[in-house]
Amino acid sequence: MSLPTPQGKQSRVIYLPARGHQVVLGTAGTGKTVMAIFRAAHLSNPATPGFGRTLLATYNRTLVTYLNYLSPAQQANLTIETFGRFGRGYLHSRSKMRQRGIADAFQRRALIQQALTEVASGYKPHTFFDRDIGWFEDELAWIDGSGILTKTDYRAVKRRGRQTALHDSLREVVWKVREQYRHARTDKGLEYDWHDLASTVLTELRSDSSERRYRHVVIDEGQDLSPQELRSLAAAADPDGSVTFFGDYAQQIYGQDMSWRSCGLTVRAVEEFKDNYRNSTQIARVAIALSEMPQLRGAITDLVEPVAPTAAGPPPTLVQCADEEREIAVTQVRAKVLGAVGKVAVLARTWDDARRACRGLPYISLNTEMGVWHERPGIYCGAYHSAKGLEFDAVILPFCGGARMPHPETVAAFGPDEAATRESKLLYVGITRARSDLLITYSGELSSLLPTTAGLFATVRA
């Protein structure tokens, strides 16, 4: 594929010096992923002064597939992979990684539940132990992602990203759960999970005096990597090379309220991009209205205020349906029409809901095992998470009623206020994937997370 021509000051970022740390923040549609691949290709090009082997790292494997599709051919010095793959490969090269030594999400959840049960047995009954297991999974991920290695540090640190502070005595309990979980995991022959892998990678890099494999590291969708992962990637670059971070904290859907500022990058100035080159004016207005709602306003670190584009398009359509079966029918009719002439994504809060909305349709799954990117008209199906960094001619978002958004499991785990912030970021991701057409369906009451400003949507009953 031929990459689009850089616009405005995008070229300036692409050709920033090949030494030092650079941070580029931009709202949705500003071309961060295109700039990232351009930047990586430039740094790995032998014609570039200071060129060298370059790692382009991100969180999502579907995005890796898309980045490989965008990558110019014959880039022998360029590697594109997730942080997880990079970390696993590096530890293997240091004889620190056994085959199947990483707990997957299901194993991790089961072992945390086991640890919680064992720790709770040593206390009198308390409502804290009745919290959804998702809360404990998230807290342990935050601890590891922040690089907190001792109980003393955990008890002292200010916990960002929580609507309600955690009492010191409860932090003691959480740390016991963490220790018990790690013991149980070791007993299963599992040395790591995907959240604490980065701490071992960083420790190894700091003691590794050999020549670095990569002279340059470029990070795309960096807001979804933890500070510890970002520290690891920075340490993986040659000291005479460069680290370039691209991110948008309005789209942070992993590692809530973690910022690049806590990961040790030395940056003189931050490049900011506000001009939206993807979305039509009408779609951008919905995204901007969403970003200004109470659950997001003030809840986003390093927010770049978006500027509405000038490209016109049809107004987004909001369809009120009698029930979810009717939502599926509406989704499928529109997906067939839009998919015949362009790329249409059907995105839902969960994979099960996305597949249910697309049942019987000939769709391409945006799953993590996607090995080849298909740049052709058709229907693409996935969860909001799987669409990060991607764009489509049209997007359909079914099941946006109040019973579905915010997702009940998220509310159970984090409470209504924090759930609203987290789920709104997911909606923001889904909405901003669309270039020209956006259709949202719901049954029952409309989700309180969506803006209702007059004139944003064309409303229809079906």
Side-chain angles (χ1 to χ4, degrees):
M1 171 184 178
S2 59
L3 284 165
T5 302
Q7 302 186 52
K9 65 176 185 178
Q10 289 181 342
S11 292
R12 181 173 177 274
V13 167
I14 293 164
Y15 302 114
L16 283 169
R19 187 169 183 175
H21 297 168
Q22 322 285 348
V23 169
V24 183
L25 301 179
T27 188
T30 52
K32 294 182 299 298
T33 291
V34 170
M35 284 188 280
I37 193 66
F38 263 119
R39 173 81 172 149
H42 170 68
L43 293 170
S44 62
N45 188 338
T48 300
F51 87 97
R53 296 186 69 170
T54 300
L55 171 66
L56 175 50
T58 191
Y59 185 94
N60 187 302
R61 280 187 284 178
T62 305
L63 184 53
V64 167
T65 300
Y66 182 57
L67 287 166
N68 274 310
Y69 169 77
L70 290 177
S71 175
Q74 299 177 339
Q75 289 289 127
N77 293 321
L78 176 58
T79 299
I80 304 173
E81 59 190 11
T82 61
F83 174 84
R85 186 176 180 87
F86 156 76
R88 184 176 59 189
Y90 175 71
L91 292 181
H92 183 267
S93 73
R94 300 283 289 174
S95 300
K96 295 284 185 177
M97 176 60 65
R98 295 184 300 178
Q99 188 176 15
R100 296 191 178 92
I102 303 176
D104 63 30
F106 298 103
Q107 292 170 317
R108 181 175 184 268
R109 186 181 184 91
L111 290 171
I112 291 175
Q113 180 66 73
Q114 174 185 322
L116 178 62
T117 301
E118 292 173 359
V119 170
S121 67
Y123 289 84
K124 294 180 179 179
H126 193 286
T127 55
F128 182 70
F129 296 107
D130 297 330
R131 291 193 178 197
D132 187 273
I133 190 62
W135 186 94
F136 291 93
E137 290 181 283
D138 184 81
E139 188 70 6
L140 266 58
W142 182 86
I143 291 170
D144 292 323
S146 298
I148 298 170
L149 302 177
T150 68
K151 178 172 65 175
T152 301
D153 289 342
Y154 176 53
R155 294 177 67 172
V157 73
K158 180 181 179 181
R159 173 61 166 101
R160 295 178 60 85
R162 284 272 182 259
Q163 299 285 353
T164 305
L166 191 64
H167 191 273
D168 188 63
S169 62
L170 296 181
R171 292 196 186 206
E172 180 87 19
V173 174
V174 171
W175 197 262
K176 287 183 179 180
V177 172
R178 180 179 184 270
E179 290 181 327
Q180 188 60 40
Y181 158 68
R182 290 165 74 91
H183 288 315
R185 192 181 71 192
T186 300
D187 290 344
K188 293 285 187 180
L190 301 168
E191 299 167 282
Y192 314 103
D193 63 33
W194 293 110
H195 299 280
D196 63 15
L197 188 72
S199 288
T200 304
V201 172
L202 184 57
T203 298
E204 284 299 308
L205 283 166
R206 286 174 172 171
S207 64
D208 184 356
S209 60
S210 61
E211 182 180 355
R212 290 292 187 251
R213 176 179 177 84
Y214 299 108
R215 184 176 180 86
H216 305 288
V217 173
V218 178
I219 304 164
D220 189 32
E221 298 290 345
Q223 75 278 351
D224 287 326
L225 294 174
S226 71
Q228 199 75 332
E229 289 169 335
L230 294 175
R231 293 179 193 120
S232 300
L233 289 170
D238 189 292
D240 290 327
S242 68
V243 177
T244 311
F245 172 103
F246 292 89
D248 174 11
Y249 282 89
Q251 299 185 61
Q252 186 179 51
I253 58 176
Y254 305 101
Q256 304 296 316
D257 206 30
M258 295 180 176
S259 171
W260 66 269
R261 297 179 185 278
S262 62
C263 69
L265 295 183
T266 305
V267 180
R268 292 182 180 178
V270 176
E271 301 283 344
E272 290 191 353
F273 285 79
K274 301 181 180 182
D275 294 317
N276 186 332
Y277 301 116
R278 176 193 300 145
N279 310 127
S280 68
T281 302
Q282 289 75 9
I283 292 171
R285 283 175 183 162
V286 175
I288 291 171
L290 177 59
S291 73
E292 292 174 344
M293 292 182 71
Q295 66 267 21
L296 285 185
R297 175 58 58 185
I300 301 172
T301 304
D302 293 309
L303 175 67
V304 177
E305 295 285 353
V307 174
T310 58
T317 303
L318 186 62
V319 184
Q320 181 182 16
C321 298
D323 52 37
E324 291 191 351
E325 286 302 312
R326 184 59 181 158
E327 288 190 68
I328 293 172
V330 170
T331 294
Q332 295 204 355
V333 168
R334 291 302 297 158
K336 290 175 184 177
V337 172
L338 294 167
V341 295
K343 291 169 57 183
V344 55
V346 177
L347 306 175
R349 175 58 181 81
T350 68
W351 269 103
D352 285 345
D353 280 344
R355 295 188 186 102
R356 188 159 69 98
C358 291
R359 66 189 180 200
L361 295 178
Y363 65 81
I364 298 168
S365 179
L366 295 172
N367 61 32
T368 57
E369 302 302 327
M370 175 187 275
V372 178
W373 181 254
H374 304 277
E375 189 63 29
R376 63 172 184 261
I379 301 169
Y380 295 73
C381 172
Y384 294 139
H385 298 78
S386 62
K388 287 297 296 290
L390 308 179
E391 58 183 46
F392 304 88
D393 299 302
V395 168
I396 301 175
L397 306 179
F399 311 129
C400 287
R404 292 279 187 169
M405 289 296 293
H407 195 274
E409 288 185 6
T410 307
V411 176
F414 304 108
D417 293 338
E418 189 173 335
T421 298
R422 289 170 175 256
E423 301 288 278
S424 291
K425 289 182 178 182
L426 283 171
L427 274 175
Y428 184 90
V429 169
I431 288 167
T432 55
R433 299 311 93 197
R435 295 191 189 104
S436 59
D437 288 276
L438 174 66
L439 185 144
I440 299 174
T441 75
Y442 72 100
S443 51
E445 295 294 325
L446 178 66
S447 170
S448 61
L449 304 184
L450 283 166
T452 55
T453 308
L456 284 180
F457 297 101
T459 57
V460 178
R461 288 190 177 184

